[in-house]
Amino acid sequence: MYQQNQLAEMRIDRFVRERLTPALERAAVPASIEAWEVPGEPVPFAEAIAGDFRPFSAGQAWGRPWGTVWFRVTGAVPADWDASADEVELLVDLGFTRSQVGFQAEGLVWTPEGRILKALEPYNAYVRLQARPGESFELYLEAAANPDVGSNWTFAPTVMGRVSTAPQDPIYTLRRVDVVHRDREVWELVQDIFTAKGLAVVLPETSPRRAALFAALEAAVTAVDPFDVAATAPRGREALAAVLASPASATAHRVFAVGHAHIDSAWLWPVRETIRKCARTFSNVLDLMDQDPQFVFACSSAQQFAWMKQFYPELFERIRARVAEGRFVPVGGMWVESDTNMPGSEAMARQFVEGKRFFLEEFGYEPREVWLPDSFGYSGALPQIAREAGMDHFLTQKISWNEVNLFPHHTFAWEGIDGSRIFTHFPPVDTYNAILSGEELARAERNFADKGRANTSLVPFGFGDGGGGPTREMLAAAARTADLEGSPSVRIASPAAFFEAARAEFDPAPVWVGELYLEFHRGTYTSQARTKRGNRRSEALLHEAELWATTAAVRAGAAYPEQELRDAWRTVLLQQFHDILPGSSIGWVHDQAVENYARVAESLEAIIARSLGALSGAAAGQVTSGLVANASPFAIEGVPAGGIGRPRRDGEARIERDGGGIRLSNGRVSVVVDADGLIASLVDAETGREAVPPGTRANILQLFRDTPAQWDAWDVDIEYRLSGEELPGAESVEVVSESPEAVAVRTVRRFGASAVTQTLTLAAGSPALDIETHVDWHERQRMLKLAFPVDVHTASARSEIQFGHIERPTHTNTSWDVARFETSAHRWVHVGEPGFGVGVANDSTYGHDVTRHPRDGGGTYSLVRQTLLRAPLFPDPEADQGEHTLRTSLVIGGVDAAIEAGYRLNLPVRPAAAPVDPLIASSDPGVVVETVKLAEDGSGDVVVRLYESLGARGATTLAAAFPYERILRTDLLERETGDGALDLQLRPFELVTLRFVRG
């Protein structure tokens, strides 16, 4: 029987390939073609149609990498065709390869009036002409010569990632532009066979249903005359009708199929190409909606809708109409499908604020589903942030990529660090680019981990990553599997409909507590350090700009720069997309990201200068007083949090030679730097406790081979630990500052083609040793870490995430612990035991690893390492080459000390001209004021966002030093949820937003 079925498969496949596929076209005639190559970047339609079009023909080469060619296509439907209007199409082959949709040439079809019809994709290359025999037509094809940077995922270095390095010769050949008489009945037969055979091959060999399907398929092949397919195709369909009409069982798995196109906002193409990809995909979707009234499409990322409004307003209005019908469904509620590990607290909140605000303003619609199928792990703070933004549900698929551990649920309640829960689903189909094949549907049913209590899953279908979206073939598959014996039952629906059904059958669901760590793509915490530094610096400047602009508006009546701030936020939020901030895009993307961050910094620095000037009555930038502005939520050197004052330092810093080393001290900390430029001792002056374990030294630079098995910029494999080497002793160790205000030592090291200069500074009165590491980096496929052994015995480390921190094991008791060998943190990590601990803060580093090691004399010590730099070759062979400056602070104390050090390092004081009291202050230092801003609605109300930072019950009394009428508690979108107050009781890690109504 097995051999018979195998032969039947071969026979059916060959029949489809050699007989049915050619018969899909009853007739075809070539159209007339003219072409104009855009000399530089893409141009709008109105400019393109005025181009110098020259005769062109099929078989000619076109398109330099990243270039655009416009084709003008004219022709007529032959008068002798017996064809209805919906059977006549223009079929175009731009030179498509068998590679993935969205990773190669693409096209967009326009009418002469400037209306977009649809896109041209490798498996969606038709345009309905709606012309009758004898009628003529004229169309414009905007063809994008996007190179296949992925190159079938060999991860080889490529020159295609920048226009400046890409070759200039054409990379595609136009194969055909033909007017086609489509045979609808043959096409329907092909879809019947796709579904019947797709189901048959996934059923057990001994299944009667499988046997019946193969019998029907063989009967269909026999019924169709291979020499007259058009006339006999109906007989083939009749042979399959009975098996395709047999209904699904009552216990069949239920699939909610959601039309989808995961379009990466940048990746192996630049942002400008994503804008065109969105237009192409969305026009495909609208064309399908015209053909199938049951089709529903879900689209995340407000940014992509905003691009359509800006660049394709006519298309956007058509989208708006379908949104109103409930068929083009905004989901996600975020500005982009962002990374969630690295964006800061307020930035993660603003993803929802900006995203939902756009959807509400443009469509009057509020999504309730967080939609992040492809981000690289999910912060334990996300459930609370999402719930505070009015989200009820969460969807991702990426955790199915885990290298080691299989996640135990597909539908569950995800609990965050504060105890907030959000109803969550992982599609067991294990893809967000499904085509609704029999194999995919069977996989969804087979994988579903919650059988017995639940029986419903979601399948996102449509070509994605590079866009394209659903096709008419996918809709045909959905229709045939709506109620089909042996198959899950398929219903095309919205995400909201799915979650309603899933909740009804599985509430309460099992609970997963803490972060959703992806056991994969751990290198994204480090790759493209300039992008990461730009993000961190932009977040800090936005915090400062909003604080000082709000203070200036309230105290001095200054105009609040709402639009400038919003523009800056949207740029930063876009670049937190999960292939930009993680460093996994082509070099072009990261070059632009660095330029964008520079523009953001220029804009925000101007806002800050104007605001501080308004507060002092001086001209912007005029500073002569010795005062400083402190935007940190903690007092710094006597200057209050959020205020302006004169700094004062207790005591003085001292430096002395100590044998072969140099001792730095200030009455709070004593540090010995040895002859190799390493930290031989770090002592807390108050307790006399030594932080450096016996027999070790800290501030050790370590170099590792970094050659992951796949996904270069994305991955760090645990095998890197087998190849590490400590960098040689310092070339020089010299004292560079001996003032009472601060003492400093500078060290220089050279290795390979690179050099590192470190400056270790201890300021008077400071509890922290600051380390500035300047790297001139010219290594390839290497990873640089900075290591700090800490003499504490602990089984866990704490790492800052949004609005709190997470505790992760440092042991390797379970496979889950082993797999978590590289982790992300925001501004600090901390290791401690009762009564003593050390925080390691940073100003732009996200990747860390924390491990336990045997200690001389007994017990264990903790090793905290920052991952400073990588040098992957794909997709950007020049990743991170050049100069970098990274800052680290070592602080002895509890988690509270680490929190304060992290803020101080990232929000340094700046000169100011007049003293200013803070607008808002918290009596409990554990309750941190994260954001002070004016309300989004332009009312002038002051919005304050704060959180409990220590993971303990918190009680604080706020002091608001400005007049107001009342206080409201709100959600992240600043909508009232209850009465607010100055006296607050907070649960561990609770996030609170207060609105001070000023009248």
Side-chain angles (χ1 to χ4, degrees):
M1 178 62 72
Y2 171 74
Q3 188 175 14
Q4 288 178 353
N5 284 345
Q6 191 176 45
L7 290 171
E9 280 188 63
M10 295 170 62
R11 187 158 47 248
I12 294 160
D13 288 345
R14 183 174 182 182
F15 191 79
V16 171
R17 182 175 62 250
E18 295 184 1
R19 301 297 182 177
L20 298 188
T21 300
L24 289 170
E25 300 175 17
R26 286 178 175 250
V29 295
S32 297
I33 314 167
E34 297 172 286
W36 173 64
E37 183 171 15
V38 180
E41 282 292 278
V43 299
F45 173 82
E47 183 177 339
I49 59 174
D52 182 17
F53 284 84
R54 305 283 180 89
F56 201 89
S57 60
Q60 285 186 243
W62 70 277
R64 67 186 185 280
W66 304 114
T68 300
V69 174
W70 283 81
F71 296 105
R72 181 160 57 203
V73 177
T74 57
V77 181
D80 59 349
W81 280 9
D82 181 18
S84 62
D86 64 350
E87 292 178 340
V88 179
E89 299 178 344
L90 186 71
L91 199 63
V92 180
D93 187 342
L94 294 172
F96 299 130
T97 70
R98 303 303 295 176
S99 180
Q100 297 181 79
V101 174
F103 291 73
Q104 52 176 292
E106 301 172 68
L108 189 61
V109 183
W110 303 71
T111 70
E113 297 75 32
R115 178 183 170 86
I116 294 171
L117 294 180
K118 69 177 293 291
L120 301 170
E121 316 274 2
Y123 301 104
N124 192 359
Y126 70 91
V127 183
R128 296 182 298 136
L129 288 178
Q130 296 293 306
R132 296 185 179 278
E135 295 179 347
S136 61
F137 66 90
E138 178 183 3
L139 296 172
Y140 288 84
L141 315 183
E142 181 187 11
N146 299 333
D148 177 13
V149 176
S151 300
N152 297 316
W153 312 116
T154 61
F155 308 107
T158 175
V159 297
M160 293 296 191
R162 289 180 171 88
V163 172
S164 60
T165 58
Q168 293 301 300
D169 296 329
I171 57 174
Y172 291 105
T173 298
L174 184 68
R175 293 201 185 100
R176 68 181 298 196
V177 182
D178 292 346
V179 183
V180 170
H181 180 188
R182 173 185 178 226
D183 193 316
R184 177 64 180 264
E185 194 69 10
V186 174
W187 183 87
E188 296 285 0
L189 175 58
V190 171
Q191 310 317 310
D192 289 345
I193 292 174
F194 174 83
T195 295
K197 178 177 172 289
L199 174 58
V201 298
V202 297
L203 293 173
E205 285 284 339
T206 56
S207 165
R209 175 62 168 161
R210 176 185 173 113
L213 286 164
F214 269 118
L217 286 161
E218 295 231 69
V221 171
T222 302
V224 178
D225 184 347
F227 306 105
D228 193 2
V229 172
T232 57
R235 298 208 301 257
R237 298 201 68 200
E238 290 171 8
L240 289 168
V243 292
L244 291 176
S246 183
S249 71
T251 58
H253 186 67
R254 294 193 302 166
V255 163
F256 282 67
V258 176
H260 177 53
H262 173 69
I263 306 175
D264 286 310
S265 291
W267 182 23
L268 304 182
W269 47 84
V271 168
R272 69 90 154 142
E273 195 56 33
T274 306
I275 297 170
R276 300 203 296 178
K277 284 177 178 291
C278 290
R280 292 191 282 260
T281 298
F282 298 164
S283 64
N284 283 344
V285 167
L286 294 171
D287 183 64
L288 277 182
M289 287 181 175
D290 291 340
Q291 299 175 62
D292 186 341
Q294 304 303 314
F295 176 44
V296 176
F297 178 79
C299 179
S300 70
S301 302
Q303 172 69 88
Q304 296 180 358
F305 287 87
W307 282 330
M308 296 304 96
K309 182 180 180 182
Q310 178 180 358
F311 296 104
Y312 301 93
E314 188 272 339
L315 188 66
F316 180 75
E317 291 306 318
R318 289 154 59 192
I319 291 171
R320 188 197 300 276
R322 293 300 190 186
V323 171
E325 293 177 357
R327 299 181 62 200
F328 202 118
V329 184
V331 293
M334 299 173 70
W335 190 246
V336 296
E337 291 184 13
S338 78
D339 180 80
T340 77
N341 287 313
M342 291 175 283
S345 300
E346 186 63 19
M348 199 74 255
R350 293 297 178 91
Q351 286 287 349
F352 291 98
V353 171
E354 282 299 314
K356 279 204 161 187
R357 180 177 174 181
F358 182 90
F359 290 139
L360 286 165
E361 290 177 350
E362 295 296 336
F363 305 128
Y365 180 82
E366 181 175 2
R368 297 288 183 177
E369 309 85 21
V370 183
W371 188 272
L372 290 173
D374 191 33
S375 298
F376 308 147
Y378 305 94
S379 163
L382 197 55
Q384 178 177 209
I385 296 171
R387 295 307 302 271
E388 284 292 309
M391 309 304 276
D392 299 320
H393 306 117
F394 178 79
L395 178 136
T396 183
Q397 181 269 323
K398 200 68 173 186
I399 300 299
S400 69
W401 287 41
N402 272 5
E403 290 180 310
V404 178
N405 295 286
L406 184 67
F407 198 83
H409 303 290
H410 284 102
T411 302
F412 59 99
W414 177 24
E415 181 179 308
I417 58 172
D418 74 308
S420 295
R421 294 181 179 179
I422 189 166
F423 191 83
T424 300
H425 182 67
F426 292 168
V429 70
D430 285 356
T431 180
Y432 48 81
N433 295 327
I435 62 172
L436 300 181
S437 67
E439 190 277 329
E440 289 169 338
L441 296 175
R443 185 195 313 142
E445 180 176 72
R446 180 176 64 250
N447 284 353
F448 188 61
D450 303 291
K451 297 181 181 75
R453 292 189 60 196
N455 196 32
T456 303
S457 71
L458 185 148
V459 173
F461 73 94
F463 291 118
D465 288 325
T471 65
R472 60 189 178 188
E473 288 77 14
M474 297 175 197
L475 296 184
R480 284 160 174 78
T481 51
D483 188 15
L484 181 61
E485 181 188 355
S487 169
S489 61
V490 175
R491 169 190 168 190
I492 292 180
S494 68
F498 162 75
F499 278 110
E500 181 182 0
R503 272 190 180 277
E505 72 175 4
F506 203 21
D507 199 359
V511 177
W512 179 271
V513 177
E515 68 182 334
L516 296 173
Y517 177 86
L518 178 64
E519 297 172 358
F520 206 45
H521 291 0
R522 304 168 185 87
T524 58
Y525 313 145
T526 304
S527 296
Q528 297 287 0
R530 292 182 186 88
T531 299
K532 290 172 169 58
R533 179 165 182 78
N535 175 75
R536 183 75 70 82
R537 185 66 186 136
S538 296
E539 290 178 344
L541 287 172
L542 280 160
H543 170 94
E544 284 194 82
E546 289 186 332
L547 172 65
W548 300 127
T550 301
T551 306
V554 173
R555 293 277 168 75
Y560 189 72
E562 188 273 338
Q563 191 59 50
E564 291 174 83
L565 290 168
R566 191 174 188 185
D567 291 344
W569 266 118
R570 286 186 168 186
T571 298
V572 172
L573 297 178
L574 165 61
Q575 296 190 167
Q576 290 175 343
F577 176 74
H578 64 252
D579 277 307
I580 302 179
L581 180 54
S584 47
S585 291
I586 56 174
W588 187 353
V589 172
H590 293 288
D591 293 345
Q592 289 187 326
V594 170
E595 293 173 4
N596 289 339
Y597 286 131
R599 283 193 289 272
V600 166
E602 182 180 9
S603 172
L604 296 176
E605 289 285 4
I607 291 172
I608 293 167
R610 291 200 309 267
S611 300
L612 293 177
L615 287 167
S616 68
Q622 180 181 336
V623 175
T624 58
S625 65
L627 301 174
V628 297
N630 173 23
S632 165
F634 296 92
I636 295 178
E637 297 176 356
V639 180
I644 300 175
R646 190 176 304 278
R648 64 177 186 275
R649 288 175 173 167
D650 298 326
E652 63 180 39
R654 297 181 297 276
I655 193 164
E656 57 186 307
R657 272 64 182 176
D658 186 358
I662 301 169
R663 182 181 297 275
L664 316 177
S665 60
N666 64 0
R668 299 186 67 178
V669 181
S670 175
V671 182
V672 175
V673 180
D674 68 13
D676 290 325
L678 303 177
I679 297 173
S681 174
L682 175 64
V683 175
D684 176 26
E686 181 179 355
T687 64
R689 174 79 179 260
E690 172 66 66
V692 179
T696 71
R697 297 181 292 178
N699 191 39
I700 302 174
L701 287 159
Q702 298 177 332
L703 193 65
F704 298 88
R705 186 171 68 198
D706 188 16
T707 54
Q710 55 182 338
W711 299 105
D712 286 28
W714 294 257
D715 286 358
V716 169
D717 291 351
I718 197 169
E719 287 76 15
Y720 84 84
R721 291 178 174 174
L722 303 175
S723 62
E725 58 180 296
E726 296 183 2
L727 294 188
E731 180 181 287
S732 63
V733 180
E734 60 176 332
V735 175
V736 292
S737 174
E738 297 187 61
S739 75
E741 288 77 24
V743 291
V745 173
R746 180 173 297 151
T747 70
V748 177
R749 289 180 176 79
R750 301 185 191 279
F751 59 97
S754 304
V756 178
T757 300
Q758 285 189 304
T759 305
L760 287 69
T761 302
L762 185 63
S766 173
L769 173 70
D770 292 337
I771 304 170
E772 180 182 275
T773 302
H774 180 83
V775 188
D776 189 10
W777 180 246
H778 298 284
E779 307 306 303
R780 306 282 180 171
Q781 295 185 301
R782 299 273 187 150
M783 178 165 55
L784 184 67
K785 284 180 174 274
L786 183 58
F788 299 97
V790 179
D791 197 10
V792 299
H793 173 70
T794 180
S796 64
R798 292 172 174 85
S799 300
E800 187 188 34
I801 60 175
Q802 298 93 350
F803 301 113
H805 61 263
I806 193 165
E807 187 170 354
R808 299 181 176 112
T810 57
H811 57 69
T812 52
N813 280 0
T814 72
S815 60
W816 298 85
D817 302 325
V818 172
R820 201 184 298 107
F821 60 82
E822 182 85 0
T823 58
S824 65
H826 286 187
R827 290 167 291 207
W828 56 267
V829 297
H830 182 270
V831 289
E833 56 190 37
F836 184 81
V838 173
V840 181
N842 70 83
D843 78 334
S844 60
T845 297
Y846 294 92
H848 295 77
D849 73 292
V850 186
T851 50
R852 290 155 50 89
H853 300 269
R855 177 185 181 277
D856 288 354
T860 67
Y861 70 85
S862 300
L863 178 64
V864 179
R865 294 193 294 198
Q866 298 176 323
T867 310
L868 301 184
L869 292 169
R870 300 183 66 222
L873 299 181
F874 181 85
D876 177 12
E878 298 301 316
D880 283 328
Q881 298 300 299
E883 297 190 22
H884 303 268
T885 300
L886 308 106
R887 295 177 175 84
T888 303
S889 283
L890 297 182
V891 59
I892 295 175
V895 168
D896 56 342
I899 295 170
E900 188 169 343
Y903 275 106
R904 178 185 61 81
L905 194 60
N906 284 268
L907 291 168
V909 297
R910 62 171 67 230
V916 174
D917 291 332
L919 285 182
I920 195 85
S922 168
S923 66
D924 180 355
V927 177
V928 175
V929 176
E930 174 64 24
T931 298
V932 179
K933 60 186 285 292
L934 290 192
E936 297 282 322
D937 60 7
S939 63
D941 294 348
V942 174
V943 172
V944 176
R945 193 137 36 236
L946 48 86
Y947 69 101
E948 197 291 315
S949 65
L950 301 176
R953 297 281 172 178
T956 191
T957 298
L958 300 178
F962 59 92
Y964 61 90
E965 293 181 354
R966 58 195 175 113
I967 306 173
L968 302 175
R969 184 154 180 173
T970 75
D971 64 6
L972 292 182
L973 276 70
E974 299 166 12
R975 300 176 296 196
E976 182 179 355
T977 60
D979 292 331
L982 294 177
D983 294 319
L984 296 172
Q985 302 287 328
L986 287 82
R987 66 178 184 272
F989 298 129
E990 184 176 5
L991 165 63
V992 173
T993 302
L994 297 176
R995 180 175 186 139
F996 290 79
V997 179
R998 296 171 62 213

